[in-house]
Amino acid sequence: MTRCSPHLVKWTCAARRPRCFVVVTREARHAGGEVHDRMPAFLTPDAMDAWLEPANLDRGGRENMLALLDGSSTAAASTIEQYVVDRKVNNTRIVDPFDPTVVEPAG
C-alpha cells in the first residue's frame, strides 16, 4: 500500500492493476457536526452507479454530480446517531477490537 496524498491511498495486488480510493469530506451535518467540523461524504446505494460513471464527471456533468453527492450525503447524515461510549474505546492496548460492546452506549 502506498500513501499518495493525505486522503488518497493506492495499493497494487499481484497481476492486477493498481486501485485507489479517496475519502471525500464535507462540512459536518446533523449529529456529526456536534462532534467534528468535517465528515465523510456519503453515497446512497441508488447514487453509486451514477457517481462511478466517468462520463458524469466532465464539465457538463460535474455540477449534477456535486448536487447528487450533496443530496445523498445529507440523506445519509440525517441517519447518524451519537451517544457516549465507554472510555475504553480509546485504549488500543487493552481493548479487543472485535468486542462489540466497545461501541455500545455507556451505562
XYZ file of all heavy atoms in Angstrom:
825
model
N 0.855 -1.162 0.000
C 0.000 0.000 0.000
C 0.903 1.227 0.000
O 1.872 1.301 0.722
C -0.893 -0.030 1.232
C -1.870 1.068 1.259
S -3.244 0.899 2.430
C -2.565 0.098 3.828
N 0.554 2.200 -0.789
C 1.317 3.431 -0.904
C 0.423 4.612 -0.587
O -0.679 4.707 -1.114
C 1.851 3.594 -2.344
O 2.560 2.430 -2.692
C 2.740 4.806 -2.453
N 0.889 5.481 0.254
C 0.116 6.683 0.558
C 0.464 7.728 -0.493
O 1.604 8.144 -0.601
C 0.456 7.181 1.953
C -0.484 8.250 2.386
C -0.598 8.225 3.906
N -1.524 9.229 4.334
C -2.787 8.991 4.614
N -3.253 7.787 4.537
N -3.572 9.955 5.001
N -0.521 8.136 -1.274
C -0.297 9.060 -2.381
C -0.496 10.515 -1.978
O 0.125 11.392 -2.539
C -1.237 8.723 -3.533
S -1.066 7.041 -4.122
N -1.370 10.781 -1.074
C -1.649 12.133 -0.593
C -2.416 11.992 0.714
O -2.731 10.876 1.111
C -2.459 12.908 -1.635
O -3.770 12.410 -1.685
N -2.759 13.066 1.385
C -3.412 12.928 2.688
C -4.667 12.055 2.694
O -4.931 11.394 3.669
C -3.747 14.359 3.065
C -2.758 15.178 2.333
C -2.494 14.446 1.047
N -5.431 12.041 1.627
C -6.675 11.274 1.647
C -6.764 10.257 0.510
O -7.830 9.763 0.224
C -7.883 12.214 1.578
C -7.929 13.160 2.718
N -8.172 12.761 4.005
C -7.711 14.483 2.781
C -8.129 13.799 4.800
N -7.856 14.856 4.081
N -5.637 9.948 -0.116
C -5.651 9.004 -1.228
C -4.681 7.883 -0.920
O -3.526 8.122 -0.614
C -5.252 9.708 -2.529
C -5.187 8.839 -3.784
C -6.569 8.301 -4.135
C -4.639 9.634 -4.937
N -5.157 6.667 -0.984
C -4.318 5.504 -0.734
C -4.341 4.647 -1.982
O -5.373 4.428 -2.590
C -4.841 4.701 0.478
C -4.028 3.451 0.689
C -4.820 5.568 1.730
N -3.163 4.150 -2.356
C -3.047 3.340 -3.568
C -2.427 2.002 -3.182
O -1.472 1.949 -2.420
C -2.147 4.062 -4.574
C -1.872 3.290 -5.833
C -0.960 4.096 -6.747
C -0.564 3.309 -7.957
N 0.335 4.056 -8.815
N -2.977 0.928 -3.687
C -2.365 -0.359 -3.447
C -2.362 -1.163 -4.738
O -3.155 -0.940 -5.628
C -3.045 -1.120 -2.312
C -4.402 -1.648 -2.616
C -4.720 -2.882 -3.079
C -5.654 -0.968 -2.497
N -6.070 -3.015 -3.242
C -6.668 -1.855 -2.888
C -6.012 0.315 -2.070
C -8.012 -1.509 -2.879
C -7.353 0.654 -2.069
C -8.335 -0.249 -2.466
N -1.437 -2.098 -4.819
C -1.313 -2.931 -6.002
C -1.340 -4.387 -5.570
O -0.625 -4.785 -4.660
C 0.007 -2.645 -6.739
O 0.071 -1.262 -7.021
C 0.092 -3.428 -8.029
N -2.167 -5.174 -6.203
C -2.215 -6.609 -5.953
C -1.521 -7.310 -7.112
O -1.549 -6.823 -8.236
C -3.657 -7.086 -5.856
S -4.596 -6.283 -4.559
N -0.913 -8.437 -6.847
C -0.218 -9.190 -7.894
C -1.168 -9.457 -9.059
O -2.307 -9.854 -8.873
C 0.313 -10.496 -7.325
N -0.684 -9.209 -10.256
C -1.425 -9.460 -11.504
C -2.699 -8.627 -11.624
O -3.575 -8.959 -12.393
C -1.740 -10.945 -11.648
N -2.803 -7.565 -10.906
C -3.967 -6.687 -11.025
C -3.485 -5.268 -11.222
O -2.398 -4.907 -10.805
C -4.836 -6.744 -9.774
C -5.473 -8.073 -9.563
C -6.403 -7.999 -8.393
N -6.918 -9.320 -8.079
C -7.493 -9.624 -6.960
N -7.659 -8.714 -6.029
N -7.935 -10.827 -6.740
N -4.314 -4.464 -11.810
C -3.948 -3.061 -11.964
C -4.069 -2.335 -10.631
O -4.831 -2.753 -9.760
C -4.798 -2.405 -13.032
C -6.223 -2.233 -12.651
C -6.966 -1.549 -13.765
N -8.161 -0.957 -13.203
C -9.233 -0.716 -13.867
N -9.280 -0.980 -15.142
N -10.280 -0.179 -13.284
N -3.327 -1.263 -10.473
C -3.404 -0.517 -9.200
C -4.817 -0.002 -8.962
O -5.531 0.363 -9.883
C -2.450 0.651 -9.404
C -1.589 0.267 -10.544
C -2.385 -0.673 -11.392
N -5.212 0.003 -7.718
C -6.521 0.530 -7.334
C -6.307 1.636 -6.316
O -5.428 1.557 -5.488
C -7.390 -0.564 -6.735
C -7.683 -1.656 -7.725
C -8.599 -2.671 -7.110
N -8.781 -3.758 -8.027
C -9.917 -4.017 -8.647
N -10.966 -3.271 -8.421
N -10.012 -5.027 -9.469
N -7.111 2.649 -6.418
C -7.021 3.768 -5.487
C -8.400 4.084 -4.950
O -9.402 3.772 -5.575
C -6.486 5.025 -6.184
S -4.775 4.910 -6.652
N -8.416 4.689 -3.809
C -9.659 5.241 -3.291
C -9.344 6.557 -2.618
O -8.211 6.830 -2.262
C -10.370 4.278 -2.327
C -9.667 4.099 -1.002
C -9.994 4.885 0.088
C -8.677 3.146 -0.859
C -9.361 4.717 1.307
C -8.027 2.968 0.351
C -8.367 3.750 1.429
N -10.353 7.339 -2.505
C -10.191 8.651 -1.894
C -11.348 8.866 -0.913
O -12.452 8.386 -1.136
C -10.149 9.764 -2.975
C -11.472 9.872 -3.706
C -9.751 11.085 -2.383
N -11.066 9.532 0.179
C -12.102 9.880 1.138
C -12.503 11.325 0.849
O -11.696 12.234 0.972
C -11.608 9.738 2.589
C -12.684 10.199 3.572
C -11.190 8.308 2.869
N -13.729 11.508 0.427
C -14.255 12.843 0.150
C -14.904 13.342 1.427
O -15.760 12.667 2.010
C -15.287 12.805 -1.001
C -15.857 14.189 -1.257
C -14.656 12.225 -2.267
N -14.481 14.511 1.887
C -15.069 15.063 3.104
C -15.853 16.333 2.785
O -15.691 16.930 1.734
C -13.992 15.379 4.166
O -13.094 16.355 3.650
C -13.242 14.134 4.578
N -16.680 16.700 3.714
C -17.515 17.884 3.575
C -17.756 18.453 4.958
O -17.351 17.873 5.946
C -18.831 17.513 2.910
C -19.580 16.434 3.694
C -20.987 16.173 3.239
N -21.720 17.401 3.308
C -22.608 17.786 2.389
N -22.906 17.002 1.397
N -23.224 18.936 2.494
N -18.450 19.596 5.024
C -18.786 20.140 6.329
C -19.731 19.159 7.026
O -20.543 18.513 6.375
C -19.429 21.526 6.219
C -20.859 21.555 5.741
C -21.037 21.425 4.225
O -20.040 21.370 3.483
O -22.202 21.353 3.783
N -19.585 19.047 8.322
C -20.398 18.099 9.072
C -21.832 18.595 9.193
O -22.080 19.796 9.274
C -19.791 17.874 10.452
N -22.736 17.659 9.188
C -24.161 17.970 9.334
C -24.776 17.060 10.380
O -24.280 15.981 10.644
C -24.888 17.749 8.005
C -24.392 18.670 6.935
C -25.462 18.897 5.909
N -24.981 19.874 4.958
C -25.305 19.873 3.696
N -26.098 18.954 3.225
N -24.849 20.805 2.886
N -25.870 17.468 10.923
C -26.642 16.690 11.885
C -25.764 16.309 13.074
O -24.970 17.117 13.533
C -27.304 15.491 11.209
C -28.192 15.901 10.064
N -29.417 16.487 10.250
C -28.009 15.849 8.721
C -29.968 16.757 9.081
N -29.129 16.385 8.129
N -25.852 15.072 13.548
C -25.110 14.651 14.742
C -23.604 14.758 14.529
O -22.861 15.076 15.449
C -25.478 13.225 15.122
N -23.135 14.515 13.327
C -21.700 14.603 13.062
C -21.136 15.982 13.340
O -19.991 16.123 13.766
N -21.908 17.015 13.120
C -21.458 18.374 13.346
C -21.291 18.728 14.813
O -20.630 19.701 15.147
N -21.872 17.928 15.687
C -21.714 18.159 17.113
C -20.394 17.592 17.626
O -19.979 17.897 18.726
C -22.884 17.549 17.870
C -24.205 18.215 17.518
C -25.377 17.568 18.203
O -25.183 16.940 19.263
O -26.494 17.685 17.689
N -19.744 16.748 16.828
C -18.504 16.103 17.230
C -17.306 16.690 16.500
O -16.242 16.871 17.075
C -18.585 14.583 16.955
C -17.279 13.890 17.287
C -19.745 13.967 17.730
N -17.464 17.004 15.228
C -16.338 17.439 14.404
C -16.866 18.367 13.321
O -18.033 18.303 12.955
C -15.669 16.204 13.785
C -14.284 16.444 13.310
N -14.010 16.941 12.067
C -13.085 16.251 13.914
C -12.696 17.054 11.912
N -12.116 16.639 13.022
N -16.007 19.206 12.766
C -16.469 20.140 11.731
C -16.458 19.539 10.326
O -16.983 20.130 9.397
C -15.645 21.429 11.764
C -14.189 21.212 11.409
O -13.699 20.084 11.569
O -13.542 22.176 10.986
N -15.834 18.363 10.149
C -15.816 17.681 8.854
C -16.343 16.264 9.023
O -16.266 15.690 10.106
C -14.397 17.590 8.270
C -13.660 18.884 8.115
C -14.202 19.794 7.059
N -14.142 19.211 5.725
C -14.822 19.687 4.681
N -15.585 20.739 4.823
N -14.737 19.131 3.511
N -16.866 15.706 7.960
C -17.307 14.314 7.977
C -17.172 13.757 6.567
O -17.069 14.515 5.596
C -18.754 14.207 8.443
C -19.770 14.796 7.496
S -21.425 14.614 8.153
C -22.287 14.088 6.686
N -17.167 12.429 6.427
C -17.113 11.875 5.079
C -18.384 12.223 4.309
O -19.452 12.363 4.896
C -17.049 10.356 5.306
C -16.768 10.160 6.743
C -17.179 11.404 7.456
N -18.257 12.372 3.018
C -19.441 12.479 2.171
C -19.946 11.055 1.956
O -19.154 10.116 1.895
C -19.085 13.132 0.842
N -21.238 10.877 1.885
C -21.829 9.550 1.748
C -22.575 9.443 0.434
O -23.179 10.410 -0.030
C -22.832 9.278 2.876
C -22.222 9.298 4.240
C -22.332 10.417 5.042
C -21.536 8.202 4.721
C -21.782 10.442 6.315
C -20.971 8.210 5.989
C -21.098 9.336 6.790
N -22.558 8.247 -0.140
C -23.371 7.945 -1.310
C -24.414 6.919 -0.917
O -24.082 5.892 -0.317
C -22.517 7.364 -2.442
C -21.634 8.335 -3.192
C -20.728 7.581 -4.154
C -22.457 9.360 -3.938
N -25.658 7.179 -1.228
C -26.692 6.180 -1.029
C -26.562 5.154 -2.150
O -25.995 5.455 -3.213
C -28.088 6.827 -1.052
O -28.227 7.566 -2.265
C -28.295 7.742 0.154
N -27.050 3.936 -1.950
C -26.899 2.906 -2.985
C -27.415 3.330 -4.361
O -26.815 3.006 -5.383
C -27.696 1.727 -2.432
C -27.595 1.889 -0.946
C -27.653 3.396 -0.730
N -28.514 4.081 -4.412
C -29.056 4.486 -5.708
C -28.199 5.548 -6.409
O -28.366 5.803 -7.589
C -30.500 4.970 -5.572
C -30.648 6.163 -4.639
O -29.983 6.170 -3.592
O -31.418 7.074 -4.965
N -27.254 6.160 -5.709
C -26.379 7.176 -6.311
C -25.025 6.612 -6.742
O -24.284 7.276 -7.465
C -26.168 8.320 -5.329
N -24.699 5.413 -6.309
C -23.361 4.868 -6.550
C -23.020 4.698 -8.026
O -21.938 5.075 -8.466
C -23.183 3.548 -5.813
C -23.084 3.721 -4.326
S -22.886 2.128 -3.524
C -23.094 2.625 -1.837
N -23.914 4.119 -8.794
C -23.617 3.893 -10.218
C -23.374 5.205 -10.956
O -22.442 5.314 -11.748
C -24.734 3.102 -10.896
C -24.745 1.635 -10.469
O -23.680 1.140 -10.004
O -25.799 0.992 -10.579
N -24.202 6.199 -10.702
C -24.021 7.491 -11.368
C -22.697 8.127 -10.958
O -21.983 8.696 -11.791
C -25.180 8.429 -11.028
N -22.333 8.021 -9.688
C -21.095 8.627 -9.199
C -19.873 7.969 -9.838
O -18.878 8.615 -10.124
C -21.020 8.504 -7.679
C -19.782 9.119 -7.110
C -18.646 8.468 -6.731
C -19.525 10.511 -6.912
N -17.705 9.364 -6.282
C -18.228 10.628 -6.385
C -20.273 11.673 -7.113
C -17.654 11.850 -6.055
C -19.703 12.882 -6.787
C -18.418 12.970 -6.269
N -19.945 6.672 -10.077
C -18.797 5.933 -10.618
C -18.700 5.980 -12.142
O -17.752 5.455 -12.716
C -18.840 4.478 -10.143
C -18.651 4.312 -8.637
C -18.872 2.863 -8.229
C -17.279 4.800 -8.207
N -19.637 6.613 -12.795
C -19.619 6.719 -14.252
C -18.727 7.886 -14.662
O -19.078 9.047 -14.438
C -21.041 6.924 -14.779
C -21.140 7.054 -16.276
C -20.576 5.855 -17.009
O -20.921 4.721 -16.658
O -19.764 6.074 -17.941
N -17.559 7.610 -15.276
C -16.620 8.694 -15.615
C -17.208 9.793 -16.497
O -16.849 10.954 -16.361
C -15.484 7.977 -16.344
C -15.582 6.560 -15.915
C -17.041 6.306 -15.630
N -18.132 9.450 -17.368
C -18.710 10.456 -18.263
C -19.446 11.541 -17.484
O -19.581 12.666 -17.956
C -19.664 9.793 -19.255
N -19.903 11.227 -16.284
C -20.631 12.214 -15.481
C -19.718 13.262 -14.861
O -20.193 14.229 -14.281
C -21.432 11.521 -14.373
C -22.604 10.752 -14.920
O -23.135 11.070 -15.981
N -23.009 9.719 -14.218
N -18.423 13.062 -14.963
C -17.502 13.999 -14.340
C -16.931 15.016 -15.319
O -16.047 15.778 -14.967
C -16.361 13.232 -13.649
C -16.821 12.332 -12.509
C -15.637 11.579 -11.926
C -17.521 13.136 -11.428
N -17.435 15.038 -16.544
C -16.975 16.069 -17.476
C -17.544 17.414 -17.040
O -18.319 17.508 -16.092
C -17.362 15.725 -18.920
C -18.866 15.725 -19.142
O -19.620 16.150 -18.252
O -19.284 15.293 -20.224
N -17.156 18.462 -17.706
C -17.584 19.800 -17.288
C -19.099 19.946 -17.210
O -19.628 20.590 -16.325
C -17.010 20.854 -18.222
C -15.535 21.027 -18.039
C -15.022 22.155 -18.931
N -13.587 22.139 -19.007
C -12.800 22.867 -18.241
N -13.322 23.681 -17.365
N -11.500 22.790 -18.352
N -19.804 19.317 -18.127
C -21.253 19.447 -18.138
C -21.940 18.685 -17.027
O -22.986 19.087 -16.534
N -21.359 17.570 -16.586
C -21.999 16.744 -15.568
C -21.509 16.983 -14.161
O -22.102 16.482 -13.202
N -20.442 17.736 -14.014
C -19.827 17.920 -12.701
C -20.793 18.534 -11.687
O -20.891 18.078 -10.550
C -18.583 18.785 -12.836
C -17.743 18.819 -11.588
C -16.455 19.555 -11.809
N -15.721 18.972 -12.921
C -14.883 19.629 -13.702
N -14.661 20.901 -13.496
N -14.246 19.030 -14.676
N -21.509 19.572 -12.070
C -22.444 20.213 -11.139
C -23.556 19.253 -10.721
O -23.970 19.248 -9.561
C -23.029 21.492 -11.749
C -21.998 22.592 -11.927
C -21.316 22.985 -10.624
O -22.006 23.104 -9.584
O -20.087 23.168 -10.636
N -24.033 18.457 -11.672
C -25.059 17.467 -11.330
C -24.527 16.444 -10.342
O -25.236 16.021 -9.425
C -25.566 16.750 -12.580
C -26.390 17.652 -13.463
O -26.947 18.651 -13.011
N -26.462 17.310 -14.739
N -23.280 16.019 -10.522
C -22.682 15.044 -9.613
C -22.478 15.641 -8.219
O -22.674 14.962 -7.220
C -21.353 14.522 -10.157
C -21.493 13.587 -11.339
S -22.401 12.069 -10.929
C -24.063 12.475 -11.390
N -22.093 16.907 -8.150
C -21.944 17.540 -6.845
C -23.296 17.670 -6.153
O -23.399 17.478 -4.935
C -21.266 18.900 -6.982
C -19.788 18.840 -7.372
C -19.253 20.248 -7.620
C -18.966 18.122 -6.318
N -24.345 17.953 -6.900
C -25.688 18.023 -6.323
C -26.139 16.641 -5.862
O -26.753 16.501 -4.789
C -26.670 18.601 -7.338
N -25.823 15.610 -6.645
C -26.149 14.236 -6.269
C -25.433 13.868 -4.972
O -26.035 13.318 -4.043
C -25.747 13.273 -7.385
C -25.894 11.786 -7.076
C -27.363 11.402 -7.071
C -25.127 10.962 -8.090
N -24.152 14.193 -4.884
C -23.371 13.911 -3.686
C -23.921 14.668 -2.480
O -24.040 14.110 -1.389
C -21.897 14.269 -3.901
C -20.957 13.966 -2.744
C -20.927 12.472 -2.440
C -19.555 14.471 -3.064
N -24.296 15.924 -2.671
C -24.841 16.715 -1.573
C -26.147 16.107 -1.059
O -26.322 15.928 0.142
C -25.061 18.160 -2.019
C -25.576 19.020 -0.876
O -24.893 19.099 0.158
O -26.676 19.593 -1.020
N -27.044 15.775 -1.962
C -28.324 15.199 -1.550
C -28.165 13.845 -0.892
O -28.771 13.555 0.145
N -27.327 13.013 -1.482
C -27.083 11.680 -0.948
C -26.429 11.760 0.421
O -26.796 11.064 1.368
C -26.199 10.905 -1.933
O -25.919 9.625 -1.472
N -25.443 12.630 0.544
C -24.720 12.777 1.797
C -25.612 13.340 2.900
O -25.558 12.896 4.053
C -23.502 13.678 1.576
O -22.649 13.644 2.672
N -26.439 14.293 2.563
C -27.360 14.869 3.541
C -28.354 13.822 4.021
O -28.646 13.732 5.228
C -28.094 16.081 2.945
O -27.116 17.067 2.604
C -29.094 16.675 3.917
N -28.854 13.007 3.102
C -29.799 11.952 3.483
C -29.143 10.945 4.429
O -29.724 10.566 5.451
C -30.322 11.233 2.241
N -27.920 10.540 4.131
C -27.225 9.579 4.991
C -26.865 10.211 6.332
O -26.998 9.576 7.382
C -25.974 9.063 4.298
N -26.418 11.458 6.318
C -26.018 12.124 7.564
C -27.187 12.261 8.530
O -26.990 12.228 9.751
C -25.422 13.494 7.262
N -28.382 12.388 8.005
C -29.540 12.548 8.883
C -29.853 11.276 9.662
O -30.626 11.306 10.614
C -30.764 13.000 8.083
O -31.206 11.950 7.246
N -29.249 10.155 9.284
C -29.491 8.891 9.986
C -28.429 8.604 11.053
O -28.549 7.636 11.789
C -29.520 7.706 8.994
O -28.219 7.523 8.429
C -30.543 7.936 7.892
N -27.395 9.441 11.134
C -26.321 9.218 12.099
C -26.806 9.575 13.497
O -27.442 10.602 13.704
C -25.077 10.066 11.744
C -24.489 9.597 10.423
C -24.034 9.991 12.858
C -23.358 10.482 9.920
N -26.515 8.697 14.431
C -26.853 8.948 15.829
C -25.568 9.069 16.615
O -24.573 8.429 16.304
C -27.668 7.789 16.396
C -29.007 7.600 15.730
C -29.746 6.402 16.307
O -29.567 6.092 17.505
O -30.492 5.782 15.556
N -25.589 9.882 17.639
C -24.415 9.965 18.506
C -24.816 9.601 19.923
O -25.956 9.822 20.338
C -23.788 11.348 18.472
C -24.483 12.391 19.279
C -23.701 13.681 19.292
O -23.042 14.031 18.327
N -23.773 14.395 20.380
N -23.886 8.994 20.618
C -24.085 8.654 22.011
C -22.721 8.441 22.652
O -21.728 8.208 21.968
C -24.977 7.413 22.176
C -24.554 6.231 21.346
C -23.591 5.327 21.795
C -25.124 5.995 20.091
C -23.196 4.247 21.031
C -24.741 4.915 19.317
C -23.781 4.038 19.800
O -23.400 2.963 19.032
N -22.671 8.524 23.952
C -21.434 8.354 24.703
C -21.113 6.866 24.786
O -22.001 6.043 25.029
C -21.583 8.955 26.120
C -20.335 8.706 26.954
C -21.881 10.442 26.019
N -19.839 6.526 24.559
C -19.371 5.151 24.696
C -18.353 5.090 25.831
O -17.868 6.118 26.298
C -18.749 4.613 23.383
C -19.799 4.550 22.286
C -17.564 5.452 22.951
N -18.036 3.891 26.246
C -17.063 3.701 27.314
C -15.701 4.237 26.896
O -15.307 4.115 25.734
C -16.959 2.201 27.634
C -16.214 1.938 28.920
O -14.990 2.196 28.959
O -16.849 1.465 29.877
N -14.972 4.804 27.833
C -13.648 5.363 27.544
C -12.660 4.313 27.060
O -11.649 4.638 26.454
C -13.097 6.076 28.774
C -13.881 7.337 29.108
C -13.281 8.015 30.319
N -11.909 8.399 30.051
C -11.509 9.642 29.833
N -12.381 10.616 29.881
N -10.252 9.913 29.596
N -12.930 3.052 27.303
C -12.008 2.000 26.865
C -11.843 1.992 25.345
O -10.855 1.477 24.834
C -12.455 0.631 27.363
C -13.724 0.101 26.725
C -14.117 -1.233 27.317
C -15.441 -1.705 26.729
N -15.900 -2.937 27.348
N -12.769 2.587 24.629
C -12.666 2.636 23.173
C -11.383 3.351 22.734
O -10.856 3.093 21.657
C -13.919 3.287 22.538
C -13.908 4.783 22.711
C -14.041 2.939 21.069
N -10.851 4.222 23.572
C -9.644 4.977 23.247
C -8.348 4.272 23.625
O -7.275 4.790 23.353
C -9.677 6.340 23.947
C -10.763 7.215 23.389
O -10.999 7.217 22.196
N -11.430 7.931 24.260
N -8.425 3.123 24.267
C -7.224 2.447 24.728
C -6.972 1.192 23.895
O -7.442 0.104 24.221
C -7.330 2.098 26.210
C -6.008 1.670 26.794
O -5.107 1.246 26.074
N -5.890 1.781 28.101
N -6.198 1.327 22.840
C -5.953 0.202 21.941
C -5.065 -0.865 22.555
O -4.980 -1.972 22.025
C -5.310 0.697 20.628
O -4.084 1.362 20.942
C -6.236 1.612 19.877
N -4.400 -0.560 23.672
C -3.539 -1.560 24.318
C -4.346 -2.624 25.041
O -3.894 -3.754 25.158
C -2.573 -0.886 25.294
C -1.520 -0.055 24.568
C -0.648 0.656 25.573
N -1.474 1.739 26.117
C -1.287 2.347 27.258
N -0.284 1.990 28.028
N -2.075 3.319 27.661
N -5.514 -2.282 25.540
C -6.262 -3.256 26.339
C -7.592 -3.682 25.731
O -8.169 -4.669 26.162
C -6.515 -2.720 27.767
C -7.390 -1.486 27.733
C -5.224 -2.466 28.498
C -7.946 -1.079 29.075
N -8.076 -2.982 24.755
C -9.400 -3.306 24.217
C -9.287 -4.309 23.067
O -8.353 -4.263 22.268
C -10.148 -2.029 23.760
C -9.549 -1.448 22.498
C -11.614 -2.303 23.574
N -10.229 -5.218 23.019
C -10.326 -6.171 21.912
C -11.063 -5.460 20.777
O -12.228 -5.094 20.921
C -11.108 -7.400 22.366
C -11.382 -8.399 21.252
O -10.911 -8.190 20.111
O -12.081 -9.395 21.523
N -10.404 -5.255 19.628
C -11.057 -4.510 18.542
C -12.287 -5.219 17.965
O -13.065 -4.616 17.245
C -9.953 -4.368 17.490
C -8.987 -5.449 17.792
C -9.065 -5.705 19.265
N -12.468 -6.486 18.314
C -13.632 -7.228 17.818
C -14.741 -7.328 18.856
O -15.742 -7.991 18.648
C -13.198 -8.630 17.362
C -12.178 -8.576 16.262
C -10.846 -8.818 16.539
C -12.539 -8.247 14.965
C -9.892 -8.758 15.533
C -11.596 -8.175 13.964
C -10.273 -8.424 14.242
N -14.568 -6.646 19.974
C -15.563 -6.645 21.042
C -16.672 -5.654 20.699
O -16.458 -4.441 20.713
C -14.887 -6.257 22.370
C -15.875 -6.169 23.530
O -17.061 -6.472 23.350
O -15.420 -5.791 24.616
N -17.872 -6.137 20.395
C -18.957 -5.219 20.002
C -19.427 -4.306 21.123
O -20.037 -3.269 20.863
C -20.079 -6.153 19.557
C -19.805 -7.446 20.252
C -18.305 -7.521 20.412
N -19.105 -4.636 22.372
C -19.558 -3.797 23.477
C -18.801 -2.466 23.520
O -19.250 -1.539 24.183
C -19.391 -4.510 24.840
O -18.003 -4.728 25.105
C -20.139 -5.829 24.843
N -17.680 -2.390 22.814
C -16.878 -1.170 22.814
C -17.678 0.017 22.281
O -17.502 1.141 22.725
C -15.567 -1.363 22.003
C -14.825 -0.078 21.809
C -14.691 -2.393 22.689
N -18.545 -0.209 21.332
C -19.301 0.889 20.733
C -20.748 0.945 21.181
O -21.546 1.679 20.626
C -19.208 0.843 19.181
C -17.800 1.109 18.720
C -19.732 -0.474 18.643
N -21.092 0.177 22.203
C -22.434 0.277 22.756
C -22.534 1.522 23.633
O -21.539 1.988 24.173
C -22.748 -0.970 23.595
C -22.945 -2.208 22.749
C -23.225 -3.447 23.594
O -23.193 -3.363 24.838
O -23.465 -4.497 22.987
N -23.735 2.074 23.781
C -23.881 3.241 24.651
C -23.403 2.943 26.063
O -23.654 1.864 26.607
C -25.391 3.513 24.635
C -25.865 2.905 23.350
C -24.992 1.695 23.134
N -22.685 3.899 26.642
C -22.191 3.746 28.014
C -23.352 3.810 28.979
O -24.325 4.530 28.763
C -21.173 4.844 28.328
N -23.219 3.069 30.077
C -24.287 2.993 31.072
C -24.300 4.083 32.060
O -23.775 5.087 32.137
